[in-house]
Structures are given as structure tokens and as C-alpha cells.
Amino acid sequence: MHLVERQLQNAVNKLVAWCDKNGHSISPEKRRCVHFCRKRKLHLDPAIHIQNIAIPIVNDIRFLGVIFDRKLTFIPHILHLRKKCERSLNILKVLPKTSWGADRTSLLRIHQAVIISRIDYGYMVYGSARPTVLRWLDTIHHSALRICTGAFRTSPVESLYIIFHQLPLDSRRQTISALYSFLAQSVRVHPINQLSLPAGLRRLYASRPPHILPLCERTTILLHDSDLNNVAVQFCDILTFPPWDIPQFSLLNPFSRFDKSSTAPITFQQLFNHHRYQYSSFVPIFTDGSKSDGL
């Protein structure tokens, strides 16, 4: 713990020095520190300081909409997500009526927009929770489908899946994992492509089946069981250069020397014709949709 604390303090000192040099400031009162550890024995938490002010130690913290707890069980996040989805479920309860209200298609779209979208967000992170914990979200999904169809509480959920052509949340999570894996494979420098478990950890996970595998290993097993591990994924180098190193482009604008309100349209037409004649070997691209005088 002393080694970890010393390395973290050095990293924080470098970050604070960089911020001071570049005109930024860090508020120590708004910072939080989480000690991720699954050991059952009690041991001291690290003491990290910013400007001689200790960063408070908390049991969980929210980052980009996902709540991380110190044992990485993601139970606080799923409870918070379930509570938010229950509030959104009230929207579906007030819309349908026997004589007026939204139809099934509209209710399903609302369900996908306000509930399913929240459940899908961040699954790659909180997907390492226990299956029993993940099933806490199934009741929300089933209640929403029953409201959309007007079915009774005793109606089997399998029939609701067939009526609405919906997947169970477990199958939906597998689909999201597979799509995320293909997306990662299409980017050459994606960090997940470089992740692999050492042989020692593989034997440890094999000897302890209740332990949840990392995302990369779970996705690999899923693609192998689905016979999708040999699919050739085309590379898509979206960022051929980093955003902060965008090359400079030169722009020729012969119209900037004239005021549109005081210049005759024939003048702009002559300038345009001269410009097209001068660069006749270039490919013209019209961005405003005007191609000729009649359009």
C-alpha cells in the first residue's frame, strides 16, 4: 500500500504542476478517491493530497454515468439504474387507456427510448456484475412489455418477447458485447485488442468458475460459441491523424472582397465563371445545391 500511495501521489503532483503551468486549477474539495480492493482483511486506505489537502476516501463514485464501488460489484449502479427505470416506467403507465392513448408501436418506441437505452448504456463496464444482480433489471423490462401489450401480470414473458420481437436482456447484452467486439476489431489501435489473460490467470479462472471473466474473455467465448470467431472484420481507420494535429488547408475565396448587398449578381456570376475557367481541371463540389441558373 505504501508503494501504491507513493506512486499515486507522484502522479497527482505531476498533474497539479501541469495544471498550474497551463492555467488550470483543481479543486481538492470536489475530488474523491476510491480504493478498489476485494480483500476481506482490513487495511489502510491510501492518503493522497492536493495542495496539502487530503482527498476524501469514498466507497463508490460516479464516472461518465456509471457508479463504481470499491469492490466492483456494481450493485450501487444497478440499484440506481433500476430506480431511474422505475420512474421512467410511470410514463408508460399514464399513456395507455382503454378508450384513448398511445398504441403498441408508440409505447414500444417510448420503452426503447427511455428504459432500454439506459439499460444498454455502459453494459461493457457493469457487465462484470453477478448474473443474479443483472437479473434485477429483468422485472423492469417485463413490466414495460406488459404495459405496452396490455397483458395480465400472469402472462408468460416468452409470449411477450414473441409479440414484440424483443430479446431478453441477457441475449441483448450478448448482442451488444459481440457488436462492441467487432467495432474494436475494426480499429487497429483499439486498447481492447491488446488485452489477453496470462496463462496463470486462465488456470485460476478455470479452477474458480463462479468468478466473472473480463470483458475480452467473455466476448471471445461468446463469439466462439456463436461460430463468429472467424469473421473477417474490415479495418476502419477513422482517425488517420489525431484531432490535435489536423493539417492546415488553404482556402481561395474570391467573393470575400465584395459586399453582397451592394454588388450586382452579374458580378458574382462573372467571378464564378472566371474561377471555374482558372481551375477547370479540378473536380467541382457544390455544397449549397445550386448547379445552374434554373436550380
Side-chain angles (χ1 to χ4, degrees):
M1 179 54 63
H2 294 290
L3 176 61
V4 173
E5 180 180 332
R6 186 168 60 252
Q7 291 179 345
L8 285 176
Q9 187 63 57
N10 292 335
V12 170
N13 294 338
K14 293 180 180 179
L15 180 61
V16 173
W18 184 90
C19 291
D20 295 338
K21 181 180 178 181
N22 292 274
H24 299 276
S25 61
I26 299 179
S27 176
E29 293 79 8
K30 297 182 180 180
R31 304 302 97 192
R32 297 294 183 268
C33 179
V34 181
H35 177 203
F36 296 104
C37 182
R38 294 188 176 182
K39 290 185 177 181
R40 297 182 179 179
K41 296 182 180 180
L42 296 178
H43 52 289
L44 298 177
D45 292 324
I48 311 299
H49 296 78
I50 295 181
Q51 300 174 355
N52 297 327
I53 300 177
I55 302 178
I57 306 296
V58 295
N59 293 327
D60 54 67
I61 191 170
R62 184 174 181 177
F63 181 72
L64 294 179
V66 180
I67 300 176
F68 294 82
D69 59 287
R70 64 184 307 162
K71 292 186 179 298
L72 293 179
T73 60
F74 293 101
I75 292 179
H77 173 73
I78 294 179
L79 290 176
H80 177 72
L81 180 60
R82 178 187 172 93
K83 186 176 181 180
K84 292 182 62 177
C85 291
E86 287 177 349
R87 290 198 299 263
S88 300
L89 197 64
N90 296 329
I91 301 176
L92 297 177
K93 292 181 180 179
V94 299
L95 288 180
K97 295 293 181 180
T98 56
S99 59
W100 61 272
D103 55 358
R104 289 186 176 184
T105 303
S106 301
L107 292 174
L108 181 61
R109 291 175 179 174
I110 296 173
H111 169 52
Q112 293 175 345
V114 301
I115 297 179
I116 293 297
S117 60
R118 289 177 174 173
I119 295 177
D120 291 346
Y121 176 76
Y123 166 71
M124 284 72 68
V125 179
Y126 76 85
S128 58
R130 296 287 179 184
T132 55
V133 177
L134 292 175
R135 281 196 289 268
W136 293 350
L137 301 173
D138 291 349
T139 56
I140 302 295
H141 185 43
H142 298 163
S143 299
L145 291 180
R146 287 191 174 94
I147 294 174
C148 294
T149 57
F152 295 103
R153 294 172 60 91
T154 56
S155 302
V157 293
E158 292 79 7
S159 301
L160 302 179
Y161 292 149
I162 295 175
I163 292 175
F164 272 127
H165 307 285
Q166 293 292 311
L167 291 174
L169 290 185
D170 183 53
S171 301
R172 189 179 184 89
R173 297 187 191 102
Q174 294 180 1
T175 304
I176 294 174
S177 300
L179 294 176
Y180 181 76
S181 176
F182 291 139
L183 177 63
Q185 294 178 28
S186 63
V187 181
R188 300 178 186 270
V189 295
H190 200 283
I192 198 175
N193 296 332
Q194 310 298 328
L195 297 179
S196 61
L197 282 180
L201 287 180
R202 291 180 183 273
R203 292 192 297 267
L204 180 62
Y205 277 108
S207 60
R208 300 178 180 179
H211 286 206
I212 307 299
L213 290 170
L215 174 64
C216 56
E217 295 297 323
R218 299 198 310 268
T219 307
T220 301
I221 296 175
L222 172 63
L223 296 180
H224 181 270
D225 296 340
S226 304
D227 197 18
L228 296 174
N229 53 338
N230 295 324
V231 175
V233 180
Q234 183 178 2
F235 290 105
C236 180
D237 295 329
I238 302 177
L239 298 178
T240 55
F241 48 84
W244 56 85
D245 193 20
I246 298 178
Q248 299 295 327
F249 297 96
S250 58
L251 177 64
L252 298 178
N253 186 11
F255 308 101
S256 60
R257 296 180 289 108
F258 300 89
D259 187 11
K260 187 176 181 180
S261 60
S262 59
T263 305
I266 190 63
T267 305
F268 289 109
Q269 294 178 5
Q270 292 177 354
L271 285 174
F272 176 75
N273 294 330
H274 176 71
H275 185 273
R276 288 297 305 125
Y277 174 77
Q278 187 177 3
Y279 297 96
S280 58
S281 60
F282 289 73
V283 178
I285 299 177
F286 298 88
T287 59
D288 59 350
S290 58
K291 300 180 181 179
S292 63
D293 296 337
L295 297 178

